[in-house]
Amino acid sequence: MAVTVSSERDTVASPVQRAFREALYAGAISLGLFVLFIGLKTDQNISNQLILVTRWWLLITVVVLTMLGRFFYIAYGQPFMANQKIANVATGLLPASVASRFFLLPAFIVAIVLAAILFVFGGALPGLVGDGLAGYLQFLRALAVIYALACVIFYFRAYIHDNFTKLGITALVLYPVLVVGVLSLMSWSFVGGLQGSLKWIDNFGIQILIYVMLAWGLNIVVGLAGLLDLGYVAFYAVGAYAYALLGSHYGLSFWILLPAAGAMAAFWGVMLGFPVLRLRGDYLAIVTLAFGEIIRLVLINWREVTNGSAGISGIPKVTFFGLMTFNSTDPNYIGKVLHIAQSSAYYKIFLYYLILALALLTAFVTIRLRRMPVGRAWEALREDEIACRSLGINTTTTKLTAFATGAMFGGFAGAFFSARQGFVSPESFVFLESAIILAIVVLGGMGSLVGIAVAAMVMIGGTEALRELDFLKQVFGKDFTPELYRMLLFGMAMVIVMLWKPRGFVGSREPTAFLKERRAVSSSFTKEGHG
């Protein structure tokens, strides 16, 4: 049988040709995805009639930017990264890393000087250059600060890696002090610095730490025990409503209701654990999702107790262990007792340190439990439930303890959230909250406390930072609201991180039990992160 061989040689597309083709594909996909989200917008006219507003230029801008990004990545980004792995024939050395060429000392000095100048004249920028240009200069100041911090992290990366926990805790403790100090220098007034710090301490400090604590609590269930829980927000709601109801109706102190809220959430964690003892994987996720929705619907429909969708208001504030209060009308107000100026920032600073202490308590308990037999039983259950049973481990109590412990910390966070807000309603405990908390755990590396904290800081802090990008209104119009696109950017960030680090920010794992020396196991051999 004769075999015919074609004389035509297969042509290999060049990077630019392939980039052009990929850019067209990316543009078509982005057009299909964003035409309803960005190109069309519903609004109301003067007669309160629903109308459709078209934003084709904004849609075209997004599509073009997507195509350009894909084109440059395929044409220049991928070849550059491939060349970084090729050693020089003469010297046998690899090329200098991108970081070493990007984080240069002269650029670092310029960034420091630029940030200092813009900080000093920050309050006078709108009057000097106008509101439009002032927004761009403020954004430039933020970029300079970010670049300077990145340079510091790069230059001292070895020291930071060896002392990451100590440096992290120190930075968290000093954060309010640094914020007040910087803002006081900018406004040339300590009182102005206190008032200006409210937003930064509340939105970027307290808010992030709440999600860190929630994610660390869910990490016990998902990361350590391997039980996929999509209804974790239910325990968050139980703790919040426990404090709101008992504190409003019976006037009990926060310090009494905090452990009570945790105990009540742990009880419901055990109640959830019993029906799912025989379930795994997708079936477990469906049941936990239903449990979260049941709790939310109970809060909406049990109006006699929860006040339904209207929620509960007038929730009492936290006091300083009963010694001082944060209400300016009380005789033992903190300003009167300590003879300091009256300010609402004292309460936010106190709440920041309170949630920081609760988050550190969660981390400490998680680390200690992981080194105990119950923690090793969780990890055995996560790796293989059948092998876990064959070793004589009681999987029933192991699952119940995981659900109860994780739910307890969710209840603590809920009680704190209720005290911080002063108002709770079922709208704060929808499924989206569970999805965000689970996404933080997965992106940070399941089982990794450090990775989860970094993921929460990036995701929650990044979405909160969108509220500060007012300069974008100069580009896209005064009606443009950047915070409305936070979930879109959140999803894009998840896709990028999953492509770049599929096992999360921290993919290696240090075993809790070792023979002679503790060594981190590569992410190629593990399913979870390390604690």
Side-chain angles (χ1 to χ4, degrees), residues 211 218 228-234 236-237 284-297 300 426-439 487 490:
Y211 279 93
L218 181 61
L228 184 56
D229 188 356
L230 295 180
Y232 188 73
V233 73
Y236 187 36
L284 174 63
I286 293 172
V287 173
T288 54
L289 172 62
F291 177 77
E293 287 299 300
I294 288 171
I295 294 295
R296 186 180 66 86
L297 292 175
I300 292 175
E427 295 179 357
S428 301
F429 311 104
V430 295
F431 167 71
L432 182 61
E433 292 295 318
S434 291
I436 292 175
I437 299 168
L438 180 62
M487 295 312 301
F490 187 83

Side-chain angles (χ1 to χ4, degrees), residues 302-380:
W302 200 5
R303 296 184 179 89
E304 295 81 3
V305 176
T306 64
N307 201 25
S309 301
I312 302 174
S313 58
I315 301 173
K317 292 183 177 181
V318 186
T319 63
F320 188 77
F321 303 100
L323 302 176
M324 294 180 289
T325 67
F326 297 92
N327 293 322
S328 57
T329 57
D330 294 340
N332 58 340
Y333 171 63
I334 184 172
K336 299 177 182 178
V337 174
L338 301 180
H339 303 288
I340 53 180
Q342 180 178 336
S343 175
S344 56
Y346 302 141
Y347 186 58
K348 294 298 181 182
I349 295 175
F350 174 70
L351 289 180
Y352 173 85
Y353 284 112
L354 176 58
I355 188 59
L356 176 61
L358 291 175
L360 293 178
L361 175 65
T362 305
F364 175 77
V365 172
T366 301
I367 294 172
R368 295 295 297 175
L369 287 178
R370 189 168 184 176
R371 295 174 180 173
M372 295 173 65
V374 64
R376 298 179 184 178
W378 289 340
E379 292 181 333

Side-chain angles (χ1 to χ4, degrees), residues 261-283:
M264 190 172 297
F267 169 77
W268 283 107
V270 174
M271 291 296 100
L272 172 62
F274 276 112
V276 301
L277 290 176
R278 299 180 180 272
L279 301 178
R280 286 183 293 179
D282 300 338
Y283 302 100

Side-chain angles (χ1 to χ4, degrees), residues 64-135:
V64 170
L65 290 176
T66 303
M67 294 176 64
L68 290 176
R70 187 64 180 174
F71 177 83
F72 285 110
Y73 174 73
I74 298 296
Y76 304 104
Q78 285 187 344
F80 175 78
M81 289 187 293
N83 292 332
Q84 289 295 110
K85 301 179 182 179
I86 301 176
N88 190 305
V89 178
T91 62
L93 301 176
L94 291 172
S97 64
V98 180
S100 62
R101 285 181 280 180
F102 182 73
F103 298 116
L104 302 175
L105 185 59
F108 171 70
I109 296 174
V110 171
I112 290 291
V113 174
L114 181 62
I117 294 175
L118 293 177
F119 264 117
V120 172
F121 298 99
L125 285 177
L128 293 175
V129 298
D131 294 335
L133 186 57

Side-chain angles (χ1 to χ4, degrees), residues 145-168:
V145 172
I146 294 173
Y147 179 81
L149 291 176
C151 288
V152 172
I153 294 174
F154 174 74
Y155 292 143
F156 298 96
R157 58 189 181 278
Y159 179 78
I160 293 174
H161 181 270
D162 296 336
N163 303 275
F164 185 83
T165 302
K166 296 178 182 178
L167 293 174

